[in-house]
Amino acid sequence: MDLPALVDHHCHGVLREGPEERGAFEALLTEADAPPAPGTSYFDTQLGFAVRRWCAPALGLPAHAPPEAYLARRRALGTAEVTRRLLRAAGIGAFLVDTGLPGPLLGPEELAAAGDGQAREVVRLETLAERAAATADSADAFLGALDEALAQAARTAVAFKSVAAYRHGLHLAPAPPAPAELWPAADRWLSGGDRARLTDPVLLRHLLWSAARTGLPLQLHTGFGDPDLRLHHADPALLTDFLRAVRPTGCRVVLLHGYPYHRTAGYLAAAYPHVYADVGLALSHTGARAEAVLAEMLELTPFGKLLFSTDAYGLPELYLVGSRLFRDALGRVLGTAVAEGAWSPADAPRVAALIASGNARRLYRLGREG
Amino acid sequence: MDLPALVDHHCHGVLREGPEERGAFEALLTEADAPPAPGTSYFDTQLGFAVRRWCAPALGLPAHAPPEAYLARRRALGTAEVTRRLLRAAGIGAFLVDTGLPGPLLGPEELAAAGDGQAREVVRLETLAERAAATADSADAFLGALDEALAQAARTAVAFKSVAAYRHGLHLAPAPPAPAELWPAADRWLSGGDRARLTDPVLLRHLLWSAARTGLPLQLHTGFGDPDLRLHHADPALLTDFLRAVRPTGCRVVLLHGYPYHRTAGYLAAAYPHVYADVGLALSHTGARAEAVLAEMLELTPFGKLLFSTDAYGLPELYLVGSRLFRDALGRVLGTAVAEGAWSPADAPRVAALIASGNARRLYRLGREG
Amino acid sequence: MDLPALVDHHCHGVLREGPEERGAFEALLTEADAPPAPGTSYFDTQLGFAVRRWCAPALGLPAHAPPEAYLARRRALGTAEVTRRLLRAAGIGAFLVDTGLPGPLLGPEELAAAGDGQAREVVRLETLAERAAATADSADAFLGALDEALAQAARTAVAFKSVAAYRHGLHLAPAPPAPAELWPAADRWLSGGDRARLTDPVLLRHLLWSAARTGLPLQLHTGFGDPDLRLHHADPALLTDFLRAVRPTGCRVVLLHGYPYHRTAGYLAAAYPHVYADVGLALSHTGARAEAVLAEMLELTPFGKLLFSTDAYGLPELYLVGSRLFRDALGRVLGTAVAEGAWSPADAPRVAALIASGNARRLYRLGREG
């Protein structure tokens, strides 16, 4: 199916150099924080197989080249060339980059240049707060600096993003914190907490509500991810009361990933006009099963509410894999619906274009393509 | 696959007139309580596409006629003719109508006449209680009037139905309320609550137990629905202790809809002899995916325990869509099982007839068809 | 697809004699604890259909022979011959038998002899504790006897197994109980509890941690099963904190079954190097849908982490059904992935062999086959 250039509405930088070694490469193929179990490899996953399938040919190897051959080819070409080849093959026209992750990563403009697309920034709320806390000597100073940082970010970013699901879980009190909660929470964090890692639920709520009031869309991590989350605390259904409370502000909320609660995310996008859902991680990590997972997302999610992203991080492979799995899965799901007569031949490409780019362009006010 | 006339064991009235305008029509295509997000339409959903696919031909238009053409044709034919055509095309022989929703709707007999079927009533417990409360001047008067209304309803209705999932959530205490809980709860509601909307968990439990003691099947909403529920509070697994507690009464419990917890509903129907499951909303709202969702329901649910319904409300389109999606999905799921050799060619139509009508006729004691 | 002889890493004994009567046979086709609902039969389930499909031919009848004909043939052949035929047809090379269930069952060696395979024992922790409690006259005596029984079991068993999901639910405190908790809990159980059924959460945690410290893999029931569990309390996500806490001990944890939370089990196996997942009950009880369920398990579960089991109990039919459904489903899932180009033709049989036996041989240190 012909698609317009994709808008990747949630992604991250890739490494400036490397990784050279197999272990370092494998570590970026998984959400785990440790080497694989003895006798196993992170290449032996749906994502690992998808990398060999889609990326080996882009580097001039046969599809499914073995891991060692692939990594050798990667080293021979050099990081810049590998990045350029994989990103260009992804066909992404706009990269909305969450810049809140640390590391020697390409910035949004560099990424977009390598991929021949345009870049915009998504600002991670917890990172803003951690930066504001780093030098603050009082709750007043911290909250003031945070306010200022939020206002400044809102002038250029296209969205805010929160990882409250990791830091606390989504079972947050739905209302904005009262001042009588907020200042003591800030005091506690500054005096006793790890300023490099915000986990206080009052401060997390303050971030969500501060972002909501800017009028920018708010991206929320939901569903699976790193092993520092409790999966059942990342069920987007837990956000229901927050979604209701924030609705009058006009804030539009994007539920990222969602898997294995992606059907719940679809329900929320169907039930609330200001809620959107995303494919994200759920496709890259399920590989050969991306069609099945995408089809489940297309059960309840209104077709004007589903967004494409790769959630790529570290490896440019994740851009190409995310993009190719999405295109392929979307073509199959919609092709099946048309072949069975359930959808009309005219609706299918229209809906495909919405999910590939139109919904994101409307939501983030990116303007027309080109 | 040839099926007997369907028993729609859970449905609602349709509008006497209209809707005329696109906005009003779209509002009945969604469980949301608000206009669609800017730039989107509730026609751009699986349900919207299914309406265009199945209902346009029944009104003399090509399948997938555009929404405006469809609505124009609808207006030209007039509500009565549209209703008659769509209902007759649905092939439903018996309508078990939940009469607890307000609005200018056709009553069960009118609906059945339009659809050339038979009608029976399902009585919504919360509506009975709200009617009894409307004029009661004391807890005694309220509880007495409610008892009487329940007894009277039990003489003619085929089942009771509860929307406790919406009003409180399914995490109710499992036991019947003691008198020392019940009277104070009634007092509180009558003196301070909104008598038009029962949400007190003690009174909701009283309704469930009162219904259970009548010997009629008890239909419980589970899974997705209006935005006034919290989806995770509508997980049918939350009913486990209630199901165990109510089992000795002989009450048979029907778990409606269930999606996205329909596999859990199937487990409960497999684990407890007195529990049944339903397809309901889960098929209409997933459209082209109805086959996949029905197949999931047929994993654990014993074949003598699954029931067909449309949960249609407001629009006669929902009867035709629910019926056609069900027939089509069932034919595909069972056809695949036979083609792969997993099921015998003789079992498939036997099981299909059970789900289409036999299970409901046995459960609700409707007698043989015809 | 050619597979090596299977390792059934979690199974149970089968009846020495019978069952003769249809009711007794049906009772072993279901997890329910009661006769089927009036007008229904446990043969009318995916498992019932799978038994008729796969087992009737192994007994010399046509596939899908009716239940009465099947049971008559079974009686004519006699239990020993039926058991031998069904077990041999299953192609299982190693049986890891949970010996903690009561009843007139074949022991591991008898089972393996009938099936022409090898047997190893999996020791059920709660049964060990109940045996130790039966004759203990003090907490000291009980805990000492339990320690000794654990140490002795660890010398010969290949794994421990817990049914804490049934007895309490998986929402256990993650840490090992302190002595100040443990002795009083033992006292309470011995003085007031049912010594034949351990449900105390402190003692259940003590069992888990005691097993973890032996270095043997720990199998945990998760997901659906008997009606004495609350399904949402068997969600493996509830184990997250325990999994983190136990990780430094080196204990490897196997999440059994998981359905309908099998995708969550796959996430945990992906996120934590010491966690494994299993197909178990989820295939036998979903029958014609085993391919779909297995495909979902293969979304996130690393291919070196998924294990085959039948969870067979009572009926030898469950060995053949579990084995055939698994082989068939695996062949289809992997065949589809290869046909679509998503997996290479060389990877598919390699991964199939891992799931069929290699992963279990590595995890349980069974040595090479043959």
Side-chain angles (χ1 to χ4, degrees):
Chain A
M1 181 174 297
D2 282 341
L3 288 181
L6 306 180
V7 175
D8 186 348
H9 84 108
H10 181 75
C11 55
H12 307 274
V14 298
L15 290 179
R16 293 186 171 283
E17 279 302 326
E20 295 285 316
E21 300 307 319
R22 178 162 175 165
F25 188 90
E26 285 202 33
L28 289 163
L29 284 181
T30 177
E31 297 284 316
D33 59 359
T40 76
S41 158
Y42 290 128
F43 268 107
D44 277 350
T45 57
Q46 293 283 10
L47 176 55
F49 280 20
V51 165
R52 288 167 52 211
R53 175 197 198 176
W54 293 112
C55 302
L59 303 190
L61 294 175
H64 302 295
E68 290 304 339
Y70 182 79
L71 294 170
R73 177 75 179 153
R74 211 179 186 284
R75 284 188 293 265
L77 288 170
T79 304
E81 177 64 10
V82 166
T83 299
R84 201 189 60 81
R85 286 201 194 187
L86 296 175
L87 283 175
R88 301 240 161 167
I92 295 170
F95 299 80
L96 310 193
V97 186
D98 168 3
T99 52
L101 284 174
L105 304 172
L106 295 188
E109 292 301 336
E110 295 168 300
L111 191 78
D116 196 21
Q118 295 182 319
R120 298 299 298 275
E121 190 180 4
V122 174
V123 171
R124 190 186 283 227
L125 293 165
E126 290 80 8
T127 306
L128 271 196
E130 288 151 6
R131 283 185 194 144
T135 57
D137 56 6
S138 72
D140 267 352
F142 162 64
L143 292 167
L146 176 59
D147 266 6
E148 199 170 312
L150 281 158
Q152 189 177 328
R155 282 195 285 274
T156 56
V158 290
F160 286 103
K161 186 226 176 150
S162 167
V163 290
Y166 285 105
R167 299 301 180 81
H168 173 79
L170 298 177
H171 51 305
L172 293 162
E181 286 180 281
L182 183 57
W183 264 258
D187 273 333
R188 274 196 309 275
W189 185 35
L190 297 177
S191 60
D194 172 2
R195 290 198 188 189
R197 185 172 168 82
L198 173 61
T199 61
D200 181 90
V202 173
L203 297 177
L204 291 169
R205 284 160 57 208
H206 176 63
L207 291 175
L208 298 181
W209 280 93
S210 299
R213 291 184 185 115
T214 66
L216 289 184
L218 174 58
Q219 301 180 344
L220 296 179
H221 182 99
T222 70
F224 89 109
D226 299 352
D228 62 348
L229 60 68
R230 291 173 186 85
L231 193 55
H232 56 304
H233 291 178
D235 180 345
L238 297 171
L239 290 167
T240 307
D241 290 335
F242 171 73
L243 294 174
R244 291 176 188 160
V246 85
R247 185 171 166 181
T249 68
C251 176
R252 290 154 297 154
V253 178
V254 187
L255 306 173
L256 300 174
H257 321 307
Y259 183 101
Y261 310 111
H262 46 290
R263 283 168 154 169
T264 296
Y267 161 73
L268 293 168
Y272 299 105
H274 62 308
V275 176
Y276 295 75
D278 158 75
V279 306
L281 274 181
L283 300 196
S284 304
H285 283 260
T286 58
R289 290 283 299 167
E291 176 186 350
V293 174
L294 180 65
E296 290 177 357
M297 290 179 165
L298 282 168
E299 287 167 2
L300 287 195
T301 314
F303 306 142
K305 295 289 203 76
L306 189 62
L307 303 166
F308 164 72
S309 78
T310 60
D311 198 41
Y313 165 68
L315 299 178
E317 278 83 354
L318 301 180
Y319 280 102
L320 181 54
V321 161
S323 154
R324 292 306 305 253
L325 288 172
F326 169 70
R327 288 168 186 275
D328 194 59
L330 190 65
R332 287 168 191 263
V333 172
L334 273 49
T336 300
V338 172
E340 292 178 348
W343 286 29
S344 80
D347 282 321
R350 182 174 66 82
V351 168
L354 287 175
I355 302 171
S357 88
N359 292 336
R361 290 191 175 278
R362 179 185 352 104
L363 175 64
Y364 298 107
R365 294 172 183 149
L366 301 179
R368 305 298 269 168
E369 183 190 359
Chain B
M1 182 173 297
D2 281 343
L3 289 180
L6 306 180
V7 176
D8 186 347
H9 85 108
H10 182 74
C11 56
H12 307 273
V14 298
L15 290 179
R16 293 187 170 285
E17 278 302 326
E20 296 284 317
E21 299 308 319
R22 177 162 176 165
F25 189 89
E26 285 201 32
L28 289 164
L29 284 181
T30 178
E31 297 284 318
D33 60 359
T40 75
S41 158
Y42 290 127
F43 268 108
D44 277 351
T45 58
Q46 292 283 11
L47 176 56
F49 280 20
V51 165
R52 288 167 51 212
R53 175 197 198 178
W54 293 111
C55 302
L59 303 190
L61 295 175
H64 301 295
E68 290 305 338
Y70 181 79
L71 294 170
R73 177 74 179 152
R74 211 180 187 283
R75 284 188 293 265
L77 288 170
T79 303
E81 177 64 11
V82 166
T83 298
R84 201 188 60 82
R85 287 200 192 189
L86 296 175
L87 283 175
R88 302 238 159 167
I92 295 170
F95 299 80
L96 311 193
V97 186
D98 168 3
T99 51
L101 285 174
L105 304 172
L106 295 187
E109 292 301 335
E110 295 167 301
L111 191 78
D116 196 21
Q118 294 182 317
R120 297 300 297 274
E121 189 178 5
V122 173
V123 171
R124 188 184 284 228
L125 293 165
E126 290 80 8
T127 306
L128 272 196
E130 288 150 5
R131 283 185 195 144
T135 56
D137 55 7
S138 72
D140 267 353
F142 161 65
L143 292 167
L146 175 59
D147 266 6
E148 197 170 316
L150 281 158
Q152 189 178 330
R155 282 195 284 275
T156 56
V158 290
F160 285 103
K161 186 224 177 151
S162 167
V163 290
Y166 285 105
R167 299 302 180 80
H168 174 79
L170 298 177
H171 51 306
L172 293 161
E181 285 179 280
L182 183 58
W183 263 259
D187 273 333
R188 273 197 309 275
W189 185 36
L190 297 177
S191 60
D194 172 3
R195 290 198 187 188
R197 185 172 167 82
L198 174 60
T199 61
D200 181 89
V202 173
L203 297 177
L204 291 169
R205 284 160 57 207
H206 176 64
L207 292 176
L208 298 181
W209 280 93
S210 299
R213 291 184 185 114
T214 66
L216 289 184
L218 174 58
Q219 301 181 343
L220 296 179
H221 181 99
T222 70
F224 89 107
D226 298 352
D228 61 349
L229 60 68
R230 292 172 185 85
L231 194 55
H232 54 306
H233 291 178
D235 181 345
L238 297 171
L239 290 167
T240 307
D241 290 335
F242 171 73
L243 294 174
R244 290 176 189 161
V246 85
R247 184 170 165 182
T249 68
C251 177
R252 291 155 296 153
V253 178
V254 187
L255 306 173
L256 301 174
H257 320 307
Y259 183 101
Y261 310 110
H262 45 293
R263 284 169 155 170
T264 295
Y267 161 72
L268 293 168
Y272 300 105
H274 62 309
V275 177
Y276 294 75
D278 157 77
V279 307
L281 273 181
L283 300 196
S284 304
H285 282 260
T286 58
R289 290 283 298 167
E291 176 186 351
V293 173
L294 180 65
E296 292 177 355
M297 289 179 166
L298 283 168
E299 288 167 2
L300 287 195
T301 315
F303 307 142
K305 294 288 204 77
L306 189 62
L307 304 166
F308 164 73
S309 78
T310 60
D311 198 40
Y313 165 67
L315 299 178
E317 278 83 356
L318 302 181
Y319 280 102
L320 182 53
V321 161
S323 154
R324 292 306 305 254
L325 288 172
F326 169 71
R327 289 168 186 275
D328 195 58
L330 190 65
R332 287 168 191 264
V333 172
L334 274 48
T336 300
V338 171
E340 292 177 348
W343 286 28
S344 79
D347 282 321
R350 181 175 65 84
V351 168
L354 286 175
I355 302 172
S357 88
N359 291 335
R361 289 192 176 277
R362 178 185 354 104
L363 175 63
Y364 299 106
R365 295 173 181 147
L366 300 180
R368 306 297 271 167
E369 182 190 358
Chain C
M1 181 173 296
D2 281 342
L3 288 180
L6 306 180
V7 176
D8 187 347
H9 84 109
H10 182 76
C11 55
H12 307 272
V14 297
L15 290 179
R16 292 185 172 283
E17 279 302 327
E20 296 285 317
E21 299 307 319
R22 177 163 176 164
F25 189 90
E26 285 201 32
L28 289 163
L29 284 181
T30 177
E31 297 285 316
D33 60 358
T40 75
S41 159
Y42 290 128
F43 268 108
D44 277 350
T45 57
Q46 293 283 10
L47 176 56
F49 280 20
V51 165
R52 289 167 52 212
R53 175 198 197 178
W54 293 111
C55 302
L59 302 191
L61 295 175
H64 302 296
E68 290 304 339
Y70 181 80
L71 294 170
R73 176 75 179 153
R74 211 180 186 284
R75 284 188 293 265
L77 287 171
T79 304
E81 176 64 12
V82 166
T83 299
R84 201 188 61 82
R85 288 200 192 188
L86 296 175
L87 283 174
R88 303 241 158 164
I92 294 171
F95 299 81
L96 311 193
V97 185
D98 168 3
T99 51
L101 284 174
L105 303 172
L106 295 188
E109 292 302 335
E110 295 168 300
L111 192 77
D116 197 20
Q118 295 182 318
R120 298 299 298 275
E121 189 179 4
V122 174
V123 171
R124 189 185 284 228
L125 294 165
E126 290 79 9
T127 306
L128 273 196
E130 288 151 5
R131 284 185 193 144
T135 57
D137 55 6
S138 72
D140 267 351
F142 162 64
L143 292 168
L146 176 58
D147 267 4
E148 197 170 315
L150 282 158
Q152 188 178 329
R155 282 195 285 275
T156 56
V158 291
F160 285 104
K161 186 226 177 151
S162 168
V163 291
Y166 285 105
R167 298 301 180 81
H168 174 79
L170 299 176
H171 51 304
L172 293 161
E181 284 179 280
L182 183 57
W183 264 258
D187 273 334
R188 272 196 310 275
W189 186 36
L190 297 176
S191 60
D194 173 2
R195 291 198 188 188
R197 185 174 167 80
L198 173 61
T199 61
D200 180 89
V202 173
L203 297 177
L204 292 169
R205 284 161 56 208
H206 176 62
L207 292 176
L208 298 181
W209 280 93
S210 300
R213 292 183 185 116
T214 66
L216 289 184
L218 174 58
Q219 302 180 344
L220 296 179
H221 182 99
T222 69
F224 89 108
D226 299 352
D228 61 349
L229 61 69
R230 291 172 185 86
L231 194 55
H232 55 303
H233 290 179
D235 181 346
L238 297 171
L239 290 167
T240 307
D241 290 335
F242 171 73
L243 295 174
R244 290 176 190 160
V246 86
R247 184 171 166 182
T249 67
C251 177
R252 292 154 295 153
V253 179
V254 187
L255 306 172
L256 300 174
H257 320 307
Y259 183 100
Y261 309 111
H262 46 291
R263 283 168 154 170
T264 295
Y267 161 74
L268 293 168
Y272 299 105
H274 62 309
V275 177
Y276 295 75
D278 157 77
V279 307
L281 272 181
L283 300 196
S284 304
H285 282 262
T286 59
R289 289 283 299 167
E291 176 186 350
V293 174
L294 180 65
E296 292 177 356
M297 289 179 166
L298 283 167
E299 287 167 2
L300 288 194
T301 314
F303 306 142
K305 295 288 204 77
L306 189 62
L307 304 165
F308 164 72
S309 79
T310 60
D311 198 41
Y313 166 67
L315 298 179
E317 278 82 355
L318 302 180
Y319 280 101
L320 181 54
V321 160
S323 155
R324 293 306 305 253
L325 287 172
F326 169 71
R327 289 168 186 274
D328 194 59
L330 190 65
R332 288 168 190 264
V333 172
L334 273 49
T336 300
V338 171
E340 292 177 348
W343 287 30
S344 80
D347 282 321
R350 182 175 64 83
V351 168
L354 287 175
I355 302 171
S357 87
N359 291 335
R361 290 191 174 277
R362 180 184 352 104
L363 175 63
Y364 298 107
R365 296 174 181 146
L366 300 180
R368 305 298 270 167
E369 182 190 1

